[in-house]
Amino acid sequence: MGDVYFDNFVFSRYKHALVVTDPYIAELYGIAGDNVFLLPRGEQAKSFDNVAALCRWFLSKQLTPAGLVVAVGGGSVGDTVGFACSIFKRGIRLLHVPTTLIAMVDSAIGGKTAIDLDGVKNAVGSYFFNFDTLIDPDFLHTLDEEQLKSGAGEILKYRMLNKEIDNCVTNGENLQSVIAACVRFKQEICAEDPYCRGKRNALNFGHTIGHAMELALGLYHGCAVANGIYYETKLAASLGLCSKQYTSTWCGETEKSFSISPLTEKILDLTLQDKKNKEGSVAFALPTTFDLTYLPLDSLKELLLY
Ligand code: GLY
């Protein structure tokens, strides 16, 4: 599992560092030069074409497994560069430098890489643990409100999974402490279940409906996850898995900070693409155990729409 550094990473360990980022980040932080590759900004980065272009650039730079690739950006840059590093010459050391809150607490931790295919989010990817993460909270100063809110969506998930993180937020601790608590918690879960065969599935809470809403409505990932948390908590309540009190507390907390979009049949149809599904049933990590529950699409529609 990758180590996480907050300020003490030793770059000189590596002979040859190449940097990958996007045009917005490059401009904002003055990242330029022969060793810099720019991916398109946002979800558009996550394609086979971009992975191929990146691997060709690695070839042109004579990159070998003795070198280092530094991915500076949000989740889309990290996911795409991570996938390219996992396959190029069977693995190139990667340093994630997340620039968004959501990447700091989630996508740059734990070693999942992914690109999209034919409109299916994260359809192709790998588990890749040959990486470290360097978190510099100074990047947070350049984020707009929606980007911070997107990070808050994943933090809401962590609060529901871990009492200490919830206390950290409700006690008003600073954002750096909240980030450190989320990172610690995710690192522990991923160390125990790196390939997402058990406990790590809990981190997918809110993501089954969240990914469908992200795709259908074009929401930021964390805002879509917050919507997913809202509807999946209601679903858990209707299956008798959590109390009315729990449901009203957490759905209320979600509504306080996020705008909740209406759920439609078309959105629920998209849950059929979820990676956790089996035998035609849709999988959810539901409160309060966050173990996987499987439901046929028809029952899901019945419980959430009618
Ligand atoms: N974002 C969920 C995980 O890394 O397992």
Side-chain angles (χ1 to χ4, degrees):
M1 193 56 56
D3 287 327
V4 179
Y5 298 84
F6 283 85
D7 56 14
N8 51 354
F9 187 82
V10 187
F11 280 96
S12 57
R13 289 215 298 255
Y14 300 92
K15 286 188 200 146
H16 184 152
L18 296 177
V19 178
V20 186
T21 187
D22 71 34
Y24 176 80
I25 304 274
E27 165 105 38
L28 200 60
Y29 297 104
I31 303 171
D34 279 355
N35 67 339
V36 177
F37 185 95
L38 299 183
L39 285 168
R41 182 153 172 84
E43 199 70 23
Q44 255 188 301
K46 296 175 63 171
S47 72
F48 266 120
D49 283 352
N50 288 324
V51 169
L54 196 47
C55 288
R56 288 198 180 95
W57 183 68
F58 290 162
L59 270 184
S60 76
K61 295 290 175 189
Q62 299 175 349
L63 179 66
T64 73
L68 172 73
V69 172
V70 184
V72 185
S76 301
V77 168
D79 282 0
T80 311
V81 181
F83 183 57
C85 285
S86 77
I87 56 176
F88 187 78
K89 298 197 172 168
R90 299 204 182 94
I92 300 292
R93 187 84 183 156
L94 167 67
L95 175 65
H96 281 295
V97 181
T99 55
T100 60
L101 178 57
I102 193 163
M104 289 179 195
V105 296
D106 189 33
S107 58
I109 311 293
K112 281 186 180 174
T113 84
I115 55 171
D116 304 337
L117 183 64
D118 295 344
V120 179
K121 196 175 156 67
N122 298 342
V124 177
S126 57
Y127 288 95
F128 180 61
F129 304 117
N130 188 13
F131 75 100
D132 295 302
T133 304
L134 176 64
I135 294 180
D136 181 350
D138 271 354
F139 282 114
L140 297 173
H141 299 307
T142 60
L143 301 181
D144 64 28
E145 207 182 312
E146 278 307 293
Q147 288 170 313
L148 285 169
K149 205 179 253 196
S150 180
E154 289 285 356
I155 292 172
L156 174 67
K157 173 193 82 181
Y158 287 122
R159 288 175 62 193
M160 293 178 72
L161 290 171
N162 181 270
K163 190 70 195 143
E164 262 173 57
I165 299 176
D166 186 37
N167 289 341
C168 197
V169 173
T170 51
N171 293 341
E173 291 193 30
N174 65 34
L175 194 49
Q176 186 160 350
S177 308
V178 175
I179 294 169
C182 294
V183 166
R184 237 182 353 258
F185 176 69
K186 182 162 183 183
Q187 288 274 81
E188 275 165 25
I189 293 203
C190 295
E192 225 179 283
D193 179 21
Y195 295 102
C196 210
R197 298 200 170 116
K199 210 172 171 182
R200 185 167 178 173
N201 275 309
L203 300 176
N204 288 316
F205 169 47
H207 283 63
T208 307
I209 292 180
H211 275 158
M213 293 185 87
E214 182 176 353
L215 198 63
L217 307 173
L219 302 177
Y220 273 116
H221 178 70
C223 299
V225 167
N227 273 263
I229 286 171
Y230 178 87
Y231 287 114
E232 292 182 18
T233 303
K234 291 212 177 269
L235 180 63
S238 62
L239 292 168
L241 299 175
C242 60
S243 68
K244 277 198 179 134
Q245 168 72 37
Y246 180 94
T247 312
S248 73
T249 302
W250 286 109
C251 287
E253 191 68 21
T254 311
E255 280 174 306
K256 222 164 54 187
S257 309
F258 298 91
S259 99
I260 305 298
S261 304
L263 202 53
T264 62
E265 202 155 335
K266 196 176 140 220
I267 292 172
L268 288 181
D269 286 341
L270 292 171
T271 62
L272 281 177
Q273 297 288 0
D274 197 276
K275 286 187 287 306
K276 305 179 292 302
N277 294 353
K278 68 176 184 203
E279 289 152 18
S281 287
V282 184
F284 295 90
L286 294 180
T288 55
T289 62
F290 301 98
D291 292 334
L292 288 185
T293 298
Y294 296 91
L295 286 170
L297 185 63
D298 288 349
S299 318
L300 182 60
K301 289 183 179 174
E302 193 104 341
L303 289 165
L304 284 174
L305 297 179
Y306 315 124

